[in-house]
Amino acid sequence: MRVLIAHGASGKAASMQRHVDGFGERGIEASAIDLPLRKAEKAVPVYRERVEAATEPVSQLVIAGQSYGGRVASLLAAEAEPACAALICFSYPLHRPGHPDWEERSSHWPSIDVPVLLLSGESDPFARIDLLRKAIDERLP
């Protein structure tokens, strides 16, 4: 199994090295990828290209991302053609910075047909735990 991890909006692949190392320490191969910093929907093709370039079969590939990278990964996971075996999102961004109200950033979740692990702290200003719970209750019954 291999994990491909995408960075958040203020990072690059190098900023995900701690995650890559953490997976490696647990015997899981992982690598970080760079995404263009633009609207998440526009970055999905770049992530798809990285997935298609991977040597592992889809059944052995986990896609992941922190914040912006998690949103891009989730959009990829929601596509009709399976791109991965599972999805991991660190600090999923449920709203834009400075707009801490409910937004439709989880409307595609019902289309995700693989196991999902959402990891988020209680003090993340872009992934408020109450909004995350609401999104899960409404989108992933």
Side-chain angles (χ1 to χ4, degrees):
M1 179 163 295
R2 182 169 175 219
V3 180
L4 289 179
I5 308 171
H7 57 83
S10 63
K12 289 285 187 189
S15 65
M16 302 309 295
Q17 191 60 47
R18 288 185 4 202
H19 296 293
V20 169
D21 293 344
F23 280 111
E25 290 167 7
R26 289 155 182 84
I28 300 168
E29 184 182 345
S31 58
I33 62 169
D34 279 317
L35 292 177
L37 298 178
R38 55 180 107 163
K39 191 172 182 178
E41 291 81 358
K42 301 238 183 224
V44 171
V46 174
Y47 206 145
R48 186 182 314 106
E49 287 174 14
R50 303 304 192 279
V51 166
E52 290 170 352
T55 57
E56 293 76 18
V58 169
S59 64
Q60 294 296 309
L61 192 63
V62 174
I63 59 175
Q66 177 183 6
S67 193
Y68 166 78
R71 179 157 158 70
V72 176
S74 73
L75 289 163
L76 178 57
E79 291 184 347
E81 192 68 30
C84 60
L87 169 67
I88 302 171
C89 295
F90 309 95
S91 300
Y92 188 87
L94 287 164
H95 56 79
R96 294 172 291 149
H99 297 83
D101 297 318
W102 178 255
E103 288 185 12
E104 289 298 319
R105 287 192 165 190
S106 60
S107 61
H108 63 286
W109 285 9
S111 297
I112 297 173
D113 210 14
V114 297
V116 178
L117 176 61
L118 297 166
L119 301 166
S120 201
E122 291 188 354
S123 61
D124 187 336
F126 306 121
R128 287 186 9 222
I129 202 73
D130 61 319
L131 292 180
L132 186 60
R133 287 184 178 124
K134 178 181 177 179
I136 290 167
D137 288 346
E138 290 184 10
R139 305 289 187 210
L140 301 174

